[in-house]
Amino acid sequence: MENFVFALNSTVPVFLVILLGWFLRRIGMLDEGFQKTANAYVFKCALPANLFLSISGMNLYGEFDLLFCLFCIAATTVMFFGVWAGAWLLLRDKRLVGAFAQASARANAAMLGVAFVVAIYGSAGMVPMMIMCSVPLFNVLSVLILTFSPQVDEAGALLPRQGGTAALRSACRRILKNPLILGIAAGIPFALLGLQIPQMLRGAVKYVGDTATPVALLMIGASFTGSEAMTRWKSAAWASFVKLLLLPAIFIPAAVWLGFRESELVAILIMVGSPTAVTSFVMAKSMRADSALTSNTIVLSTILSAGTITFWLYLLRSLGLI
């Protein structure tokens, strides 16, 4: 019961802020112009600042584990490309491929990882190393998937596809210019060299970074447009199933077989089994993927994760693994 209450305390506030965004849109406070500006602000400013602070403040040499790091990199890569391949094969509406793949694979690892591990063990454990290994890949692989998947315009119509070479050049440019990746890249030297950001500058960046999640959640709620959103719930349910149950069922046994236990195993669980990251919506919106499917998956996976994460934690604890 304690784990379940903790999970609810992590997920219910997220849902309530999304609900507030929907309400504010209904009463006309968050119009389309504001949404467009707010999404651009989150994507180009607030989230990069948040990721920069997360990466720059890590102690990479405290508990470095090469096998753990390699597992996080390999699992993230297999997870993204595996879900993407499955989406191409199984989805009838190919317009949903990119959004479905990203929403099914991109986890809310940075937001929930530290919170859960600290609650269980009293310290962040291996979560910072997991974030360092997986979060940059989340962003790079999301750009690749969304670039090479069908893209749609504001009305949901398919846009003309680029050729192979042109698409590859476009993907490389988007990776190099992606604000989230630039934020991560800027933080890596600070983490590697142990450099300290001046307190006044760090405070200013933190103020900006702290606005990322609440503004993004409000925009998710404001993006619900009735009939369009309802048409995506079936696909969102399948994406949530993949995110919360199928991927952990695949990767957790592999992690156990490799000998990972305690905070390592919980960090891996959060990496593969936490709800869809809020940043997925901002990325989908910016790269012309189906944002309705993405926002629905965020909401549904966030609600269901209170039960699924509790289930996985209970199972691992019952088996004496954490």
Side-chain angles (χ1 to χ4, degrees):
M1 179 57 71
E2 182 180 350
N3 285 336
F4 183 68
V5 171
F6 178 81
L8 286 177
N9 287 336
S10 299
T11 56
V12 170
V14 171
F15 177 70
L16 291 178
V17 177
I18 292 174
L19 189 62
L20 175 62
W22 172 83
F23 174 74
L24 294 177
R25 169 66 187 272
R26 293 279 293 184
I27 64 175
M29 188 174 294
L30 302 181
D31 58 22
E32 291 186 7
F34 181 86
Q35 291 179 58
K36 185 175 182 180
T37 302
N39 281 319
Y41 162 74
V42 172
F43 183 63
K44 296 179 179 180
C45 188
L47 276 174
N50 186 288
L51 290 170
F52 168 74
L53 284 182
S54 297
I55 298 297
S56 65
M58 290 180 181
N59 178 15
L60 299 182
Y61 305 105
E63 298 183 24
F64 182 77
D65 186 322
L66 179 60
L67 179 61
F68 177 79
C69 186
L70 292 176
F71 179 86
C72 290
I73 293 172
T76 299
T77 304
V78 171
M79 180 169 62
F80 268 82
F81 284 113
V83 172
W84 192 27
W88 272 112
L89 292 173
L90 299 176
L91 286 178
R92 293 182 180 180
D93 189 348
K94 300 306 179 185
R95 294 176 300 174
L96 304 181
V97 167
F100 184 93
Q102 186 196 202
S104 299
R106 190 171 188 168
N108 207 354
M111 185 183 296
L112 292 182
V114 174
F116 272 104
V117 175
V118 169
I120 297 172
Y121 297 105
S123 66
M126 295 301 291
V127 171
M129 185 61 63
M130 179 271 289
I131 294 173
M132 180 69 179
C133 296
S134 63
V135 170
L137 268 179
F138 284 174
N139 289 279
V140 171
L141 295 176
S142 292
V143 171
L144 288 174
I145 285 173
L146 295 177
T147 299
F148 288 98
S149 298
Q151 298 179 344
V152 296
D153 59 18
E154 292 293 334
L158 274 173
L159 294 170
R161 294 194 63 183
Q162 294 178 317
T165 304
L168 183 60
R169 287 199 300 267
S170 175
C172 291
R173 284 197 301 269
R174 284 175 169 172
I175 289 171
L176 294 175
K177 294 168 61 178
N178 185 284
L180 307 185
I181 295 173
L182 292 176
I184 292 169
I188 289 176
F190 288 87
L192 290 175
L193 301 176
L195 301 176
Q196 296 295 319
I197 304 171
Q199 185 59 42
M200 288 184 290
L201 178 60
R202 184 179 186 84
V205 176
K206 187 176 187 302
Y207 282 141
V208 175
D210 286 347
T211 66
T213 297
V215 174
L217 292 175
L218 287 172
M219 293 308 101
I220 290 170
S223 71
F224 284 177
T225 55
S227 59
E228 180 188 3
M230 292 305 295
T231 62
R232 303 292 189 259
W233 280 111
K234 184 176 180 180
S235 298
W238 279 110
S240 298
F241 167 77
V242 171
K243 186 79 213 68
L244 302 175
L245 294 174
L246 181 59
L247 293 178
I250 294 172
F251 290 103
I252 291 299
V256 172
W257 181 75
L258 287 172
F260 296 120
R261 299 292 187 271
E262 304 295 341
S263 67
E264 295 173 335
L265 201 54
V266 177
I268 291 169
L269 169 62
I270 297 302
M271 181 182 75
V272 300
S274 61
T276 303
V278 175
T279 52
S280 300
F281 173 78
V282 182
M283 184 80 82
K285 197 79 172 177
S286 301
M287 297 189 64
R288 296 179 175 179
D290 193 289
S291 58
L293 170 57
T294 306
S295 61
N296 286 0
T297 306
I298 291 170
V299 173
L300 190 58
S301 64
T302 298
I303 295 171
L304 296 177
S305 67
T308 57
I309 291 178
T310 301
F311 163 75
W312 288 115
L313 290 173
Y314 176 78
L315 179 62
L316 295 176
R317 189 178 289 263
S318 298
L319 294 173
L321 299 172
I322 63 174

